Amino acid sequence: MELPVVPVANGIFPRPGGGVIKGIFVDPSSVDLLGDISENQEFLLCAYSTDRQELYEVGVLVRLLETWPQPVCFEGSEEKTVGQFVRLEGRGIIKSQGFTVDDGSLTAYGCEFLDLEELERRGYPIIVGFGWKPQGGFTEPGGSKEVEVTVYGQDLETGDEVSISAQIGDLVSFESAHSIEHAIIRSLDQFGLCTPKTLAESLKRETRELAQSIEAGLRFRLPEVFGVTEGGVCGNPMTNLAQLYLNEEVTSRLMKGDSLARSIKEGRTKALSRLTGELGLTTDPRYRKLQALKKGMAHDPRSPRRRLAAKVLERFPVSPWD
């Protein structure tokens, strides 16, 4: 089976099985692709992964209920552009074998419905991000070997807050659980799904970007970049303290009459000094980045093997509605 495809880069999809959402496409290529689709026609929404720089092969089969052009203006700009508004109904989850481009049309070939229950029976659990948008998460330690990971977000139909949670402390350490929390959110944003494969991939990318933020922050004396990744800002002691101390130091110097430039420069240096002292970070450059990642940001730089990733995902519900 072949289906026309429209890419989605923000992780927003209708819930398969009848979910209806309204959205807007402003990218010219997506608007052009929608122009070839008539109302009540079915097509495939597929995630465009900025991590991979390619389309993900699993998406949502949707029916175009309604579409209309309308000028829109983005925040911070007075210039208007014409967007294509749509109302879509989710029909099911589709896996394709690949994509072809012909005369401006994007087509998925070898399409078939994905049976999630069959995948679980085969030991390949999945978290489905279709129908809701992850917005954050938290990792909470409990008693002995008790660590609960929660990812929360918004139901795209009702606007209600929804969440998924799992107890995984007997499988991984607190640091690994915190890393997994961020990797699940990243995977759902990037692919609309979280599988053992995408979880492991997202863990590696998230850890690498966190380590890069530590290296840049220490090298260039920029505490404000700690914990900043492509997916947002990681909530952890090091990031939170860096923001707090920097704000305190800059504000204190401004109130004493220092210039803004001088307040920021000296505030950064003092905030870094307070931060490394508070967290007890080593001065040895060979180990400082790793220690900051594990001790300061509570992240485990090691990625779990595929089998362990599958065991972790088995603990989570498939979606917030399960």
Side-chain angles (χ1 to χ4, degrees), residues 217 220-226 242 245-247 249-250 253 261-275:
F220 301 110
R221 296 186 175 277
L222 298 172
E224 63 266 37
V225 306
F226 289 147
Y245 291 163
L246 181 60
N247 182 64
E249 295 296 336
V250 172
R253 281 160 174 75
R262 183 180 179 86
S263 296
I264 292 176
K265 181 179 179 180
E266 294 189 358
R268 284 170 170 162
T269 300
K270 182 61 176 178
L272 276 174
S273 177
R274 290 176 62 186
L275 179 65

Side-chain angles (χ1 to χ4, degrees), residues 49-282:
S49 168
T50 55
D51 281 350
R52 292 185 181 179
Q53 295 289 300
E54 65 182 21
L55 282 173
Y56 189 51
E57 63 272 15
V58 180
V60 179
L61 178 67
V62 299
R63 183 162 66 97
L64 182 61
L65 300 178
E66 189 178 6
T67 181
W68 67 95
Q70 184 173 317
V72 294
C73 186
F74 294 101
E75 184 178 356
S77 173
E78 295 182 359
E79 189 174 329
K80 289 187 177 181
T81 184
V82 177
Q84 195 69 25
F85 280 79
V86 294
R87 197 162 62 90
L88 304 173
E89 178 188 39
R91 308 287 282 175
I93 301 176
I94 293 287
K95 185 181 189 309
S96 68
Q97 293 180 6
F99 306 95
T100 61
V101 179
D102 183 24
D103 194 26
S105 296
L106 181 60
T107 303
Y109 62 86
C111 298
E112 59 182 9
F113 284 98
L114 196 63
D115 188 336
L116 299 184
E117 292 183 357
E118 175 61 22
L119 286 178
E120 284 195 287
R121 284 194 292 269
R122 288 160 45 191
Y124 201 79
I126 287 179
I127 298 174
V128 176
F130 304 140
W132 64 295
K133 177 67 174 175
Q135 296 175 322
F138 47 89
T139 302
E140 296 181 308
S144 177
K145 292 188 176 181
E146 289 185 2
V147 179
E148 184 173 64
V149 171
T150 298
V151 174
Y152 61 85
Q154 185 180 49
D155 184 320
L156 295 177
E157 290 182 73
T158 66
D160 295 336
E161 183 173 302
V162 293
S163 65
I164 55 172
S165 299
Q167 180 67 248
I168 60 174
D170 59 325
L171 296 175
V172 297
S173 67
F174 174 80
E175 291 80 8
S176 292
H178 186 211
S179 300
I180 286 168
E181 171 211 319
H182 283 267
I184 289 174
I185 296 171
R186 187 181 190 120
S187 181
L188 294 176
D189 281 337
Q190 287 286 318
F191 309 107
L193 297 173
C194 184
T195 71
K197 181 178 179 179
T198 64
L199 177 62
E201 178 181 332
S202 295
L203 268 168
K204 289 180 180 178
R205 290 184 180 273
E206 190 76 9
T207 300
R208 182 169 64 245
E209 290 175 11
L210 285 174
Q212 289 170 345
S213 79
I214 293 171
E215 184 176 13
L218 292 173
R219 177 181 296 181
F220 301 110
R221 296 186 175 277
L222 298 172
E224 63 266 37
V225 306
F226 289 147
V228 178
T229 70
E230 291 289 336
V233 181
C234 171
N236 59 71
M238 187 171 181
T239 299
N240 296 338
L241 285 174
Q243 297 292 339
L244 174 64
Y245 291 163
L246 181 60
N247 182 64
E248 288 180 350
E249 295 296 336
V250 172
T251 300
S252 174
R253 281 160 174 75
L254 286 172
M255 293 182 67
K256 291 178 181 178
D258 287 352
S259 67
L260 178 60
R262 183 180 179 86
S263 296
I264 292 176
K265 181 179 179 180
E266 294 189 358
R268 284 170 170 162
T269 300
K270 182 61 176 178
L272 276 174
S273 177
R274 290 176 62 186
L275 179 65
T276 54
E278 176 73 20
L279 296 177
L281 299 182
T282 179

